Amino acid sequence: MTTTTTTLADLPSLKGQELGTSDWYEVTQDAVNLFADATGDHQWIHVDVERAKKESPFGGPIAHGYLTLSLLVPLVSQTYEITDAKMGVNYGLNKVRFPAPVPVGSKVRARVTLKDVEEVAGGLQNTFAVTIEREGGDKPVCIAEWVTRAYA
């Protein structure tokens, strides 16, 4: 894991730089099942292990794309810290793609680059280029442009 520590005043100087890489996170069947319960998405490719092993082109169950996307919060939070920010909010996403599946049991991590910084009332709007990689994978499992706001 690598992490950048900065302040609101210094953050704009990091535009275009990689801020860090998170620890590896194992995507378990329990996490997939909990996500299915929380979202109501119980498609068999995610929750029916035996059927997924037999019928899925992936050879077993895979994580939901939106589960992978939801990992941005815990993974990206490991890659940078704004020491004088009082709070941060999720402002949205400009672009999201899922180029490869996440088989259950895989480990994933986030690699984060600060793409843009804009001043907003009381703080900064930050756009991050986030790539979620799968350990041993040849393609990213998620590529997202994530917009957050940090307030003083």
Side-chain angles (χ1 to χ4, degrees), residues 27-28 48 51 63 66 77 84 92:
V27 178
T28 64
D48 189 333
R51 183 175 178 190
Y66 284 130
S77 70
D84 58 346

Side-chain angles (χ1 to χ4, degrees), residues 4-8 11 80-86 126 128 150:
T4 297
T5 302
T6 189
T7 62
L8 287 165
L11 188 64
Y80 77 97
E81 177 185 9
I82 304 172
T83 57
D84 58 346
K86 299 284 190 242
N126 308 301
F128 299 98

Side-chain angles (χ1 to χ4, degrees), residues 77-144:
S77 70
Q78 296 176 21
T79 66
Y80 77 97
E81 177 185 9
I82 304 172
T83 57
D84 58 346
K86 299 284 190 242
M87 71 170 195
V89 296
N90 179 10
Y91 195 68
L93 296 153
N94 291 336
K95 184 186 335 184
V96 178
R97 297 290 183 269
F98 304 106
V102 178
V104 169
S106 296
K107 291 183 179 180
V108 297
R109 70 176 178 188
R111 184 173 304 278
V112 180
T113 298
L114 181 60
K115 186 172 178 179
D116 198 14
V117 179
E118 300 173 49
E119 287 189 28
V120 294
L124 297 174
Q125 179 169 295
N126 308 301
T127 304
F128 299 98
V130 182
T131 302
I132 299 183
E133 308 166 331
R134 180 174 61 88
E135 188 175 49
D138 58 348
K139 287 184 185 178
V141 296
C142 180
I143 299 170

Side-chain angles (χ1 to χ4, degrees), residues 137-152:
D138 58 348
K139 287 184 185 178
V141 296
C142 180
I143 299 170
E145 192 172 284
W146 188 26
V147 183
T148 67
R149 288 187 170 182
Y151 293 97

